[in-house]
């Protein structure tokens, strides 16, 4: 990172982290308060339909972007990466580095990475190094301990939650800015 800025001072460099998360109609349960001696009862009808949240986070500033898709694969990832690069203005004058894990669709030889985007892979089996992993509890809060009846309702609730999180830079920063994360990017 420092080397890039030293060699190419005119080049804008941004450092982001990316991960995917699966949510579905299967209920997501968390602990909750109840009166002493009373067990809270929850009606449940699990169904297995999924929604995938692709989340980019810039830990230094708390900026975050979310894409909701029905699948996770190389084609979907490439489309999201292309849209993200276009939105961030990546190209000849600006480099966007994305830190991510080594999922099969991230390392596929069929993946075409857009110009101006660099992929930086984390070591294998190290989810604790991925800043985005800490954001999933915030995304889940939109559907936790509630019954989601339809896929449309799931999409609406998760979309609303992600829209809210996009405005919460200080909150995202507090969850994702690790002490070892490079500063100034």
């Amino acid at each position: 990172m420092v080397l890039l800025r030293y060699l190419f001072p005119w080049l804008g460099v941004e450092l982001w982290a990316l991960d995917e998360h699966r949510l579905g109609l299967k209920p997501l349960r968390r602990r909750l308060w109840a009166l002493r001696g009373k067990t809270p009862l929850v009606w449940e009808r699990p169904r297995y339909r999924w929604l995938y949240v692709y989340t980019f986070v810039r830990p230094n500033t708390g900026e975050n972007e979310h894409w909701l898709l029905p699948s996770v694969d190389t084609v979907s990832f490439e489309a999201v990466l292309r849209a993200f690069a276009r939105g961030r203005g990546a190209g000849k004058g600006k480099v966007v580095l994305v830190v991510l894990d080594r999922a099969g669709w991230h390392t596929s030889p069929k993946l075409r990475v857009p110009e101006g985007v660099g992929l930086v892979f984390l070591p294998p089996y190290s989810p604790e190094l991925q800043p985005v992993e800490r954001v999933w509890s915030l995304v889940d809060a939109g559907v936790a301990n509630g019954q989601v009846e339809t896929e449309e309702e799931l999409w609406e609730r998760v979309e609303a939650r992600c829209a809210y999180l996009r405005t919460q830079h200080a909150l995202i920063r507090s969850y994702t800015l690790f002490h070892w994360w490079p500063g100034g990017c």
Side-chain angles (χ1 to χ4, degrees):
M1 185 66 71
V2 174
L3 182 61
L4 272 176
R5 286 183 182 230
Y6 178 74
L7 294 175
F8 308 101
W10 66 89
L11 192 63
V13 179
E14 290 183 3
L15 183 60
W16 290 75
L18 161 79
D19 203 12
E20 300 89 4
H21 182 54
R22 182 178 75 176
L23 286 166
L25 295 178
K26 183 178 181 187
L28 182 65
R29 301 288 172 231
R30 290 189 177 167
R31 291 181 173 206
L32 58 108
W33 289 98
L35 295 174
R36 186 178 298 265
K38 300 286 183 181
T39 302
L41 299 176
V42 178
W43 181 80
E44 189 172 298
R45 187 180 75 174
R47 286 146 304 151
Y48 301 94
R49 305 280 286 173
W50 306 109
L51 154 71
Y52 295 88
V53 183
Y54 292 71
T55 296
F56 290 87
V57 171
R58 190 173 180 193
N60 291 338
T61 63
E63 292 175 84
N64 58 96
E65 297 187 17
H66 310 267
W67 274 269
L68 280 57
L69 277 83
S71 65
V72 63
D73 54 26
T74 303
V75 173
S76 300
F77 175 61
E78 186 176 311
V80 167
L81 201 56
R82 198 173 325 109
F84 176 73
R86 189 172 40 253
R88 298 306 307 169
K92 294 189 187 308
K94 184 175 185 181
V95 173
V96 177
L97 297 176
V98 180
V99 176
L100 65 168
D101 58 24
R102 296 174 183 268
W105 52 90
H106 296 162
T107 59
S108 171
K110 295 179 183 177
L111 177 66
R112 292 186 315 261
V113 178
E115 181 183 6
V117 173
L119 302 181
V120 179
F121 295 103
L122 291 169
Y125 309 107
S126 58
E128 68 279 358
L129 298 178
Q130 177 57 279
V132 185
E133 290 286 341
R134 304 215 33 222
V135 174
W136 299 139
S137 63
L138 299 173
V139 173
D140 291 347
V143 294
N145 291 336
Q147 186 68 29
V148 179
E149 293 297 325
T150 64
E151 273 187 87
E152 293 77 26
E153 182 184 356
L154 174 68
W155 280 74
E156 287 171 10
R157 288 169 78 177
V158 173
E159 185 176 14
R161 184 65 183 172
C162 290
Y164 167 75
L165 290 174
R166 281 198 72 170
T167 65
Q168 302 302 309
H169 293 197
L171 177 65
I172 297 296
R173 189 171 188 270
S174 73
Y175 270 72
T176 61
L177 185 56
F178 297 148
H179 69 280
W180 51 263
W181 189 262
C185 298

